[in-house]
Every structure is written in structure tokens, then in C-alpha cells.
Amino acid sequence: MRNAIALYSICVAGLAAATELPAPIQRILDGHALPPEGLSIFVQQVGASEPLLSHFAQTPRNPASTIKLLTTWVALDTLGPTYSWPTEVYFLGDWDGTALQGDLGFKGYGDPFLVTEEFWKLLRALRRTGLEAVDGDLVIDDTFFAPVTEDPGAFDGQPLRTYNVTPNAFLVNFKTVRFQFLADSARGEVRIDTDPELSNLEIRNRLELSPGACSIYQAGISFGVDDYPMGREVVLDGRFPAACSPYSLSRTVLEHDSFAYGVYRTLWAELGGRHRGGVRRGAIPADAEPALTWSSRPLSEVIRSLNKYSNNVMTRQLLYTLGAEFGGTPGTQESGNAAIVDYLETRGLRTEGLEIDNGAGLSRATRISAELVGRVLLIAAASPLAPEFLSSLSLGGLDGTTRGRFRGHPEAGRMHLKTGRLDDVAAVAGYVHARDGLDYVTVVILNTKDAHRGPGEELQEALLHWVHARP
């Protein structure tokens, strides 16, 4: 760790400027007429005292999803690999060992991976306490995080897209439903199934079954809600080609508490439980004792799903968790950002120009330099927690967001990477185990028109090939 921190004390005056680029990189810049000043590169051998290659490395740029490396590493190093999120269940009334004459309370602490299967396990554990019937309401306490007032569609005008779900301390299944469409040719209709099933979601199926190839956008399905932002009434229109069957579409519906209630009612009934009341938000009394505490998967496992598959919703939950743990409750985006900045500055890293925003990279405001990303990766590589962190990254050519790249090449399986992509942004960062047997931190960020349309990935792969081929 001391060596990694000391790296920043070397003279950095020359790092902000351009250096001579490897010939393969220069050819791509010239071939696509890409401005070299729109490109940042930082390459350094793990354990070395200075970079192997630095090109505009101190220029803050939009890193897209590679900013997740910062959020996840700080969380892993400060919270620890065994950190877990509790979800508490309370009996708010008289309980005779079978029936609860009163309300059933849930208090969430930001579990980013309380998916349907995990929630089912929680409810199964609740049934094992002997509880069969609830005569009151379901009370949801989500006060561990501050309420989020932003428009979910502010980023791209797509509020129903799953990646735009906002943080909530009691987040169930990412507030997401997977709709599956099946052609029923015998009846001349389209059958719709959902996962999870929600007892409080109305689906109006206006789809018509049509002949023809499955070659149209979104299988001809128009998805909308009649009561946005409540999202209780989904309307499905269009002409669905029978050749598309089966077809799946994931969207976010309902509000956080209504969604959790719908999943709860369905699963509770499947487990033989009964519930007579509705749902409301409310703070659990401070002197109440939980009847059950459910623990999430540990952080070391959670960040694998987060980084390998670039899950924006989980990352935002993690940022709010950092805010709550180090800035006090309720957790906010701002307190999460402050926790990260404090971590960096405590370790001697400069944060000028850093803009973390939501910590997930789904933002036009996020800014970080390639060098700062690289310095964080060097700190991680020198840590005892390095194996946990590396295992959370996509293994080039094998899994995650890079599983379709480098197949059949010598680099396959020898790179742990995090990719990032937005309109006009292409980035990749991580570790390359080179042919010389050494490990190299590698960061490349390209911010220029149409970077995301192909030139950015071509440039990334040329640099990664060049690093891997070190003699």
C-alpha cells in the first residue's frame, strides 16, 4: 500500500501532456481521424515506480461505467469483503404464535441484491417462525436512505428502463419485471407472463399476433403505462410476429413500496401465508425488536454481479450505503461522494476535476482522469483484498461485458476489465497479465464524437493487445 501511495509523489508535470503513442494506436487515430487530445491512456506495471505509457492521463473525462471501479473498490476496502446488508422484519401487534393481530414491518438497509429468489428465502424463514396470517398492513421503513426526488428518466428520457431505477433502502428485485411474450397460434393471440408476478399490477394486452419474420425493433411491442409515475397499469400495444416467440422485455413498474408489496403478496400466498391489509410507508418504532433479521450476500459476492455485468442500480445502492455508513443516516448520493473523496485524499491522491455524480457512470456529469483510475487500481493490486476485487471484473473472452471479445486470441482469460460506453464515450480499465509474466494496470478513455460506434472499441483492443504482447 505504501508503494502505491508513493507513486503519486513522482513528478507529474509531464503526465498531463501527450506522449508518443504506440504505432497501432496512432494508426487507428489517423484512420478514423480521431483527435488525440480526446484520448487518455495510462499504463503502468504493478509494482513499478512510473508509468509505461501516459497520454493526457491527467485530463478529467467522462469514464462511463468504468467509474464503478472507484465506487466498488472504495466500498470493498472500507466496508470489508464480509459486509452484508440486513433486512429486519417486525411484528407490530399481538402475535399468538400463528396469527399477527397488527402490522408486519420491514426495515431495509439498502440490500442491492434482494432479488425475488432472496426475498422468497426471507419469507420462507419468516414462515418458519410460525407466522401464518397477518391481519394488518405491510409497513415499509426505507429511511436508511434519503428519499430520491429526481426524475428516473432525466438521463435519457426513458423512465421505464431498468437501468434508471433510483435507490431505495428496501429495493426488491431492482423494481423490475421481466415480461415474456408467447405466441398462441391456436387462439390467435399473444400470451404474456411476468416474473415476478405482481398481484397489484394490471396488464392491458392489446397485442395482435401477426405473421412475418422477427426482424422489427422490440418485436413490434409498444410498452407504456397509463398512470405514470405510479406504474400500476401497463399497456401493451402493437403487432407481435409469431416468429418472435418467445420474447422477453424487462421494464420497471410501480413505485418502490407498491412493487415490494406486490412481490410479497404473491410469494407469501405461495408459501401458504395470508395477508388482509394493504401497504404503507412508515418508520419502525426505535424501541421495537425485530422478529427476524435477514442478511444479504456478502459484499465480495455482490460486487461480482455489479462489475461483471455493469449493474447501475446496484452501484447506486452501494454509493448510498457508503454515504449512510460514513456520513450518517439517511444515506445520500452527496454523502456517498464525500466518503469516496475522503478515501482518495487520505491516501494522497489528488481529486481535482473529479465528479463522481451517481457513482455508476450513467451520467453526463461524471469526470475522472485516466491516471486517477489507474492509481486506484494500483492501490487495489497492492492490497490483501486484490483477489476479491479482481474476481469482480469481467474476464476477457470468458464472462461479463467482455465475454464476446478476445475469443480465440492469446489475451483471452488473461485480462480483468471493466468497460464503459455512452454516446461519444468509450472506456476500458483493469489489469492485463502480459506475455512477459507481469501485470499491468491499463486505462483508456476516449471522449469524442461517435467514439461508441466502433472506433473506441477498436482502439481499446489495439492498446490491450499491445500491453499483453510485452516481451
Side-chain angles (χ1 to χ4, degrees):
M1 180 71 78
R2 286 194 298 272
N3 289 340
I5 297 172
L7 292 175
Y8 209 85
S9 65
I10 65 174
C11 177
V12 296
L15 296 183
T19 58
E20 184 176 354
L21 292 168
I25 308 303
Q26 191 62 55
R27 281 197 297 270
I28 292 172
L29 289 176
D30 295 341
H32 290 286
L34 298 173
E37 64 273 14
L39 172 67
S40 289
I41 295 175
F42 179 87
V43 180
Q44 182 163 321
Q45 177 193 325
V46 173
S49 59
E50 58 185 80
L52 173 68
L53 176 62
S54 178
H55 175 87
F56 289 111
Q58 289 186 334
T59 302
R61 302 192 191 278
N62 191 319
S65 282
T66 57
I67 195 69
K68 290 182 174 74
L69 293 168
L70 181 61
T71 308
T72 53
W73 170 251
V74 173
L76 184 65
D77 200 27
T78 57
L79 299 175
T82 61
Y83 178 89
S84 65
W85 291 260
T87 298
E88 297 171 345
V89 185
Y90 292 84
F91 294 166
L92 304 175
D94 296 327
W95 182 51
D96 63 8
T98 300
L100 174 61
Q101 300 295 323
D103 300 326
L104 181 66
F106 282 88
K107 183 168 184 177
Y109 289 86
D111 185 352
F113 200 69
L114 191 58
V115 294
T116 305
E117 294 83 354
E118 295 296 312
F119 196 36
W120 177 85
K121 292 177 185 175
L122 185 160
L123 294 178
R124 188 166 178 267
L126 184 59
R127 282 287 282 120
R128 288 198 296 269
T129 67
L131 182 64
E132 294 181 2
V134 179
D135 289 333
D137 291 336
L138 184 70
V139 178
I140 294 176
D141 184 340
D142 57 5
T143 57
F144 192 69
F145 291 171
V148 180
T149 57
E150 70 182 67
D151 177 6
F155 173 69
D156 59 0
Q158 300 286 340
L160 305 180
R161 297 284 182 162
T162 58
Y163 53 76
N164 278 324
V165 171
T166 55
N168 186 270
F170 190 61
L171 176 71
V172 175
N173 204 59
F174 311 130
K175 204 170 79 69
T176 294
V177 173
R178 180 173 175 265
F179 295 83
Q180 180 162 288
F181 304 87
L182 297 167
D184 188 339
S185 300
R187 297 184 179 182
E189 63 184 26
V190 181
R191 192 171 81 242
I192 301 174
D193 293 323
T194 65
D195 183 21
E197 295 182 11
L198 300 170
S199 59
N200 54 346
L201 178 66
E202 180 181 345
I203 299 175
R204 280 188 265 167
N205 183 359
R206 297 175 181 170
L207 287 169
E208 297 180 10
L209 192 61
S210 67
C214 185
S215 57
I216 54 178
Y217 172 71
Q218 207 168 273
I221 299 168
S222 172
F223 185 99
V225 295
D226 270 1
D227 60 339
Y228 180 79
M230 303 300 288
R232 296 169 300 191
E233 300 175 1
V234 170
V235 181
L236 296 158
D237 281 299
R239 295 178 60 81
F240 179 74
C244 290
S245 183
Y247 181 82
S248 295
L249 187 68
S250 293
R251 290 292 183 268
T252 175
V253 297
L254 300 169
E255 293 187 309
H256 280 289
D257 52 348
S258 299
F259 184 92
Y261 175 67
V263 179
Y264 158 77
R265 285 295 298 256
T266 298
L267 297 181
W268 189 240
E270 288 178 357
L271 289 166
R274 302 187 303 278
H275 186 100
R276 297 182 60 183
V279 62
R280 70 178 193 275
R281 287 179 179 167
I284 302 295
D287 59 351
E289 292 291 333
L292 173 71
T293 299
W294 179 261
S295 293
S296 74
R297 296 186 182 186
L299 177 60
S300 58
E301 290 187 23
V302 167
I303 62 170
R304 290 176 196 159
S305 296
L306 191 160
N307 276 334
K308 282 186 183 291
Y309 302 102
S310 203
N311 191 301
N312 295 296
V313 180
M314 294 176 71
T315 309
R316 298 190 68 183
Q317 292 283 113
L318 187 56
L319 183 68
Y320 272 61
T321 299
L322 283 170
E325 291 288 1
F326 296 103
T329 56
T332 66
Q333 178 173 295
E334 292 72 21
S335 59
N337 288 347
I340 292 176
V341 170
D342 181 68
Y343 174 92
L344 298 174
E345 293 180 345
T346 298
R347 284 151 184 80
L349 302 181
R350 297 170 60 183
T351 59
E352 292 89 345
L354 174 65
E355 294 289 340
I356 301 168
D357 199 20
N358 58 36
L362 199 67
S363 164
R364 287 290 171 187
T366 304
R367 293 291 184 276
I368 192 171
S369 69
E371 182 185 358
L372 182 53
V373 175
R375 299 295 180 197
V376 170
L377 290 174
L378 287 168
I379 288 175
S383 167
L385 299 178
E388 282 75 17
F389 186 60
L390 264 68
S391 68
S392 77
L393 305 182
S394 174
L395 195 55
L398 297 180
D399 68 9
T401 57
T402 63
R403 64 187 178 278
R405 299 167 67 175
F406 313 108
R407 286 183 178 174
H409 293 274
E411 296 89 346
R414 299 174 70 86
M415 298 178 291
H416 289 84
L417 303 171
K418 180 73 198 74
T419 58
R421 183 178 180 273
L422 292 173
D423 287 355
D424 303 326
V425 176
V428 70
Y431 304 91
V432 177
H433 186 68
R435 194 169 58 186
D436 62 8
L438 301 175
D439 295 316
Y440 293 84
V441 163
T442 304
V443 183
V444 54
I445 305 174
L446 179 64
N447 285 188
T448 191
K449 183 174 173 56
D450 293 333
H452 64 292
R453 295 189 182 278
E457 188 169 308
E458 185 179 350
L459 191 149
Q460 291 170 16
E461 295 194 6
L463 179 65
L464 292 167
H465 288 314
W466 178 81
V467 175
H468 175 262
R470 300 302 301 163

